[in-house]
Amino acid sequence: CIKPKYPELALKRGYEGILKLKLRISTKGEVVDIKIIKSSGYTILDKSGITAAKNSRFYPLQKESTINLEYNLKLNR
């Protein structure tokens, strides 16, 4: 999985949160659908996580599958 890029605005404002997503993975290992299970509380962080998830690639599978993915979007202080 690709790690989300922390948006500059979120860094400046100190936004943090945990984003939980459900991904549907095709037999080719591509992400074909994403649903938010739990928002981080900030749209800007959610969008960053969704973009990272969309660009992630997985090993080819025998059948289409779903996985849950959690991004812990915390600032390193």
Side-chain angles (χ1 to χ4, degrees):
C1 292
I2 294 174
K3 185 178 179 180
K5 183 176 179 190
Y6 223 99
E8 193 66 34
L9 181 64
L11 284 171
K12 287 179 183 175
R13 294 189 177 171
Y15 294 167
E16 296 182 321
I18 296 172
L19 174 63
K20 295 181 182 182
L21 303 172
K22 178 177 238 166
L23 310 180
R24 192 168 49 130
I25 312 297
S26 74
T27 56
K28 294 179 182 179
E30 298 169 342
V31 177
V32 292
D33 190 41
I34 301 172
K35 298 240 186 302
I36 295 176
I37 298 170
K38 182 180 181 291
S39 171
S40 66
Y42 299 99
T43 302
I44 193 169
L45 292 180
D46 292 351
K47 286 182 179 180
S48 180
I50 289 168
T51 298
K54 278 183 188 174
N55 293 320
S56 295
R57 296 288 175 259
F58 298 87
Y59 290 108
L61 304 167
Q62 300 253 337
K63 63 179 185 169
E64 197 172 88
S65 298
T66 59
I67 64 165
N68 290 340
L69 181 63
E70 183 175 293
Y71 287 124
N72 191 352
L73 302 160
K74 300 281 184 189
L75 296 170
N76 295 327
R77 297 176 190 186

